[in-house]
Amino acid sequence: MSDTVETPAPADGSAATSPVDERAPVESLSREQARDEAEALTTRILELRDAYYDRDELLEDDATYDALLRRLEQIEHQFPELQSTDSPTQTVGGRAQTQLFSPVTHAERMLSLDNVFSADEFAAWAAKVERDSGRAVRYLCELKIDGLAINLRYERGALVSAATRGDGVVGEDVTVNVALVPGIPTRLAGPADQLPDLVEVRGEIFLPKVAFDELNVLQREAGEREFANPRNAASGSLRQKEEGKTPAQVARMHDRLGRLRMLVHGIGAWSRPPVAAQSEIYELLQSWGLPTSTHYRVHDSAEDAAGFIAHYGEHRDAVEHEIDGVVVKVDELELHDELGATSRAPRWAIAYKYPPEQVNTKLLDIVVSVGRTGRATPFAVMQKVRVAGSEVRQATLHNQDVVKLKGVLIGDTVVLRKAGDVIPEVLGPVVELRDGTEREFVMPTECPECGTPLRPAKEGDVDLRCPNARSCPAQVRGRVEHIGSRGSLDIEGLGEIGAAALTQPDVPSTPPLVTEAGLFELTLDDLLPIEVIVRDSETGLPKLEEDGTARRRSPFRRNPTAAEKKQGLEGPQPSAVALTLLDELEKAKTKPLWRMLVGFSIRHVGPVAARALADHFGSLDAIRAATAEELAAVDGVGGIIADALIDWFQVDWHVEIVDRWAAAGVQLFTPGHPGPGAAAAAGGVLAGITVVATGSLEGFTREGAQEAIIAAGGKAASSVSKKTDFVAAGPGAGSKLGKAEALGLRIIDAAQFAILVREGPDALPAEPADAAE
């Protein structure tokens, strides 16, 4: 919904397209058509406002609401006689109040903000501001928090009320609950004679990302539905009453309120002291002990302000709270008075709305996929939608219990999130849009690929697995693809398509690879006959030839060129992919031992543990000969990994993989290694240094960052603790970043991380005295 200087967006995320996109241009409408559409739009917008502000229900996403409102604005601009004083384009927020809380009248109305959605629209707004003001303009840019707008009223320095925005004139009295939110002073700092008799402070109450993740963990543990997004969790936490609750429920309510935070960003009614700029107001608010954001800057030009917008558009995941845009305000207060306001929004401020990171889409089906470890995972198959810069059709639902906990039904409209580079996640259903045609998902009892009955790996496991590890086509395909991945042997040509062709071709009936044991025995004679069915990228269904048969192609052969035919070459020739794959397989035979260990898909053995094992033992034979105690004693291994190694080597077809790889010339040892436990002490610029890499670090894959730490002699830890020396954090860092901040650890970005692993800690610039931002 329309966001404001003081108010939250009424929905987190948005649909990639809106219901109004397909409607006729406003210019082509007759007056009767325009009137009918304006009435329908007004009814729908008010329904959405009532649901959002009064009942905390999300019936549509943010972009859909914005599109509806903009369409109404366009119609009213084209037909001014249709605009009334109570039109949604002329009013703010929800209705005056609900029955849950007492009404509070704001001393000064809380206005909304107009929105822009592109660089061109922002430039046009700034040009009008500068043209109307007649002089150079400085712009204050701040992040638009996706939270709940609150108005704090202080009289002679004491907090007397806290109220939601409501309709901009009357809000809800939530003073009792706001008093439990950390960081909000009940009395302003400073000498009493220097505090205003009355001041209204405007800001946003929100739930930090780390606190949101922690809260949802508690929801899961309690068997309750998880919150779809931080904004709704914050609103739901604040708009509660203790009446009728048990002591345990009150304790949980207080715990949720204690996780909330507030940042203030403006002032309503007050007797203005001698300040000349919005940025000076922020300094004044901070001097009063009020929490203000560090994420704001004053820029001397609209071009610089546009740069601020672009920067946070690319780095929004690095911010500790959810944002969906940037608010740009004219910094000079005198210009606020000159530029004035419309009936609903100031002309001296604008909200730049980013493309959505949450959208609504249709859940078409839930299918079960089997991975390389045999785990059967439900996947959501959705109507394709664009979110966070990419198109998404599928998202994991983890297991059948998660499907139940999220409460999604096949056919639901669901909320989808994709922050930065993380895997798309279905947050939950939009229950209000159900029409009765939805159906419940039923977890299959047999493997969809090989028909083997599914079962837990051990008693008490939630996940179901296919126990046919050796022969299940899905598991073999997954393991072969894993061997070719960057984190393992990094073999070009052995990605998803290559692995599927080698393990599940349409022709021949017996695939070249029944297991990965024969990988390094492959020849051109094995590759050239392979044919696979060509499938439609949208539906997954086979494409058909004119005669109705499935279309096939071979990724490993091609027809001879005219020049080759002149040279006497006849029949299929190996494709570049085939030649590259065989060449890459030959090179992979001498890759480091730790990469081979990763390639075996031994449970719990990732790059860090594999590196430790290879460095300590020096050969696969020595690892096989070691006892569980000897394996567990290796730093970075431990009992769980030791047991997994012992178990893996006791399976006959696992031993077959090792034996056939060795017979094919694969080097399963580290040349020159002195033997188990005799490796030289690790050196390097990070010797004795523990580093945690989290989030997306530019220039490094996740595995690459860990490798860089280890190669520099450091310890690549997976969790943050007091023993951690550095935390390298990029966008999407999540809870590890929050824990690092809480422990006061040194946090570095991708550029500093590159220096650290190359030159060591002494090469880093000195840490600023104030490293809060």
Side-chain angles (χ1 to χ4, degrees):
M1 293 186 183
S2 175
D3 213 350
T4 69
V5 180
E6 302 93 5
T7 198
D12 293 309
S14 71
T17 57
S18 74
V20 300
D21 290 339
E22 303 301 324
R23 298 186 182 184
V26 170
E27 296 78 8
S28 67
L29 298 177
S30 67
R31 188 184 184 285
E32 289 72 21
Q33 290 172 323
R35 183 196 62 219
D36 292 344
E37 186 174 343
E39 289 178 355
L41 287 167
T42 297
T43 299
R44 183 57 177 162
I45 291 168
L46 292 178
E47 287 176 353
L48 297 178
R49 283 186 176 181
D50 286 349
Y52 182 77
Y53 289 108
D54 292 347
R55 303 192 303 274
D56 289 321
E57 293 178 1
L58 182 63
L59 301 186
E60 290 285 4
D61 51 57
D62 202 12
T64 300
Y65 177 89
D66 286 338
L68 293 170
L69 193 62
R70 294 188 87 188
R71 175 73 174 184
L72 182 58
E73 288 174 341
Q74 292 168 356
I75 291 175
E76 291 178 348
H77 179 76
Q78 185 75 14
F79 300 92
E81 68 275 14
L82 297 180
Q83 184 182 87
S84 62
T85 57
D86 61 353
S87 167
T89 65
Q90 306 300 304
T91 56
V92 176
R95 303 298 173 93
Q97 73 274 341
T98 71
Q99 301 301 314
L100 187 61
F101 295 94
S102 301
V104 173
T105 301
H106 306 309
E108 183 172 306
R109 187 180 182 192
M110 296 176 72
L111 294 177
S112 181
L113 275 182
D114 289 329
N115 299 320
V116 293
F117 299 88
S118 69
D120 289 343
E121 289 182 353
F122 171 72
W125 172 82
K128 186 176 188 306
V129 165
E130 293 171 10
R131 184 171 61 251
D132 292 347
S133 62
R135 58 183 186 270
V137 174
R138 302 179 77 224
Y139 297 95
L140 183 146
C141 302
E142 62 188 1
L143 303 184
K144 193 162 73 63
I145 303 169
D146 203 3
L148 184 70
I150 293 293
N151 183 57
L152 304 177
R153 180 182 178 117
Y154 289 91
E155 295 181 5
R156 292 176 293 280
L159 178 65
V160 296
S161 71
T164 63
R165 189 185 62 170
D167 65 355
V169 176
V170 178
E172 299 171 312
D173 187 348
V174 290
T175 310
V176 173
N177 288 351
V178 166
L180 297 174
V181 177
I184 300 177
T186 56
R187 177 168 289 278
L188 300 179
D193 59 351
Q194 295 181 20
L195 296 174
D197 290 338
L198 168 67
V199 61
E200 286 185 328
V201 179
R202 274 78 189 268
E204 301 279 334
I205 283 184
F206 62 94
L207 193 63
K209 293 177 181 177
V210 172
F212 174 70
D213 292 338
E214 293 172 347
L215 186 58
N216 267 345
V217 169
L218 295 176
Q219 293 291 108
R220 286 196 297 272
E221 291 175 349
E224 297 182 9
R225 181 180 295 178
E226 297 178 41
F227 292 104
N229 51 62
R231 194 275 166 198
N232 281 8
S235 177
S237 299
L238 191 68
R239 300 177 74 251
Q240 298 181 85
K241 282 194 169 185
E242 293 186 6
E243 288 85 344
K245 287 184 168 61
T246 66
Q249 290 172 329
V250 171
R252 289 189 64 190
M253 171 183 165
H254 286 195
D255 175 70
R256 285 169 58 177
L257 290 169
R259 297 175 187 272
L260 300 177
R261 295 294 182 269
M262 182 176 185
L263 291 176
V264 301
H265 52 56
I267 290 181
W270 68 324
S271 300
R272 184 187 298 176
V275 291
Q278 181 75 24
S279 52
E280 294 179 18
I281 288 179
Y282 283 11
E283 294 172 2
L284 181 62
L285 292 170
Q286 191 172 18
S287 73
W288 287 344
L290 290 160
T292 58
S293 175
T294 57
H295 300 293
Y296 78 88
R297 296 290 183 273
V298 177
H299 293 287
D300 293 330
S301 68
E303 291 77 13
D304 290 344
F308 180 97
I309 292 169
H311 171 80
Y312 278 103
E314 296 176 358
H315 299 90
R316 58 198 285 189
D317 294 329
V319 181
E320 64 273 15
H321 52 72
E322 294 287 348
I323 65 171
D324 64 352
V326 168
V327 174
V328 181
K329 304 174 183 177
V330 173
D331 193 39
E332 186 180 347
L333 295 181
E334 185 176 326
L335 283 180
H336 291 196
D337 298 331
E338 291 182 18
L339 294 169
T342 66
S343 60
R344 64 181 296 274
R347 294 189 177 95
W348 45 265
I350 200 76
Y352 186 105
K353 300 291 284 291
Y354 288 134
E357 287 197 324
Q358 291 187 13
V359 299
N360 286 3
T361 188
K362 201 76 170 178
L363 179 61
L364 303 177
D365 200 358
I366 297 177
V367 299
V368 174
S369 173
V370 177
R372 65 185 173 95
T373 65
R375 179 182 174 188
T377 304
F379 270 84
V381 179
M382 297 165 291
Q383 195 171 61
K384 187 170 67 175
V385 65
R386 190 167 185 83
V387 54
S390 64
E391 292 184 338
V392 175
R393 290 185 66 245
Q394 291 187 337
T396 179
L397 290 169
H398 302 290
N399 57 56
Q400 65 272 27
D401 284 6
V402 171
V403 176
K404 291 179 181 178
L405 189 60
K406 289 182 180 291
V408 293
L409 302 177
I410 298 170
D412 267 336
T413 296
V414 295
V415 182
L416 178 72
R417 171 173 65 185
K418 184 176 182 290
D421 296 325
V422 301
I423 297 172
E425 177 187 5
V426 173
L427 299 178
V430 184
V431 177
E432 295 80 7
L433 296 182
R434 286 178 176 165
D435 59 12
T437 62
E438 299 79 13
R439 68 185 191 278
E440 188 175 351
F441 165 72
V442 178
M443 187 72 180
T445 59
E446 296 180 346
C447 173
E449 297 264 3
C450 69
T452 303
L454 299 173
R455 66 177 187 229
K458 61 180 184 293
E459 187 176 352
D461 277 2
V462 174
D463 295 332
L464 297 179
R465 296 179 184 272
C466 171
N468 182 23
R470 183 187 187 278
S471 304
C472 176
Q475 296 183 60
V476 179
R477 180 186 68 235
R479 292 196 301 267
V480 171
E481 182 182 346
H482 170 69
I483 291 168
S485 68
R486 288 183 179 180
S488 183
L489 294 183
D490 194 12
I491 300 172
E492 187 177 347
L494 201 62
E496 180 181 359
I497 295 174
L502 291 168
T503 60
Q504 293 177 287
D506 190 53
V507 174
S509 57
T510 300
L513 294 182
V514 178
T515 75
E516 59 269 43
L519 179 63
F520 290 97
E521 302 167 2
L522 290 172
T523 67
L524 282 177
D525 290 339
D526 297 313
L527 300 183
L528 292 182
I530 292 176
E531 293 183 358
V532 296
I533 293 176
V534 180
R535 297 184 180 275
D536 185 275
S537 61
E538 293 294 322
T539 65
L541 298 175
K543 290 187 175 182
L544 303 179
E545 301 288 0
E546 291 184 1
D547 61 1
T549 60
R551 185 182 304 173
R552 296 190 182 98
R553 71 175 185 87
S554 173
F556 299 120
R557 69 171 184 256
R558 61 176 177 80
N559 294 322
T561 64
E564 288 173 333
K565 287 181 179 179
K566 287 182 179 180
Q567 296 174 3
L569 289 176
E570 298 291 341
Q573 300 296 310
S575 67
V577 173
L579 296 175
T580 297
L581 175 59
L582 293 179
D583 184 55
E584 286 281 303
L585 285 170
E586 190 63 31
K587 292 177 182 177
K589 291 178 180 180
T590 56
K591 290 196 174 180
L593 174 61
W594 73 266
R595 288 186 174 274
M596 302 295 175
L597 288 169
V598 173
F600 289 139
S601 291
I602 304 170
R603 196 173 185 190
H604 306 303
V605 178
V608 174
R611 191 76 174 253
L613 288 163
D615 287 347
H616 183 86
F617 290 100
S619 71
L620 191 65
D621 285 342
I623 294 172
R624 290 177 65 178
T627 65
E629 292 74 17
E630 290 169 336
L631 292 168
V634 177
D635 186 33
V637 178
I640 293 176
I641 295 176
D643 289 343
L645 285 161
I646 297 293
D647 291 344
W648 192 86
F649 282 113
Q650 290 177 346
V651 178
D652 56 359
W653 65 271
H654 292 166
V655 175
E656 180 191 1
I657 296 171
V658 174
D659 292 345
R660 288 177 66 178
W661 282 22
V666 176
Q667 182 177 278
L668 299 175
F669 59 89
T670 301
H673 193 284
V685 295
L686 292 184
I689 301 294
T690 299
V691 183
V692 172
T694 179
S696 178
L697 296 171
E698 186 175 355
F700 297 88
T701 62
R702 181 169 300 180
E703 294 80 8
Q706 292 181 329
E707 288 182 37
I709 296 166
I710 296 170
K715 179 179 179 181
S718 59
S719 59
V720 175
S721 70
K722 294 180 180 179
K723 296 181 180 180
T724 305
D725 296 295
F726 294 92
V727 174
S735 59
K736 291 181 183 178
L737 177 58
K739 187 171 182 180
E741 292 172 336
L743 291 173
L745 302 177
R746 178 76 186 271
I747 300 170
I748 58 177
D749 58 21
Q752 292 170 323
F753 176 71
I755 296 172
L756 178 70
V757 296
R758 186 175 62 247
E759 303 177 43
D762 293 340
L764 292 176
E767 189 173 12
D770 181 7
E773 184 174 346

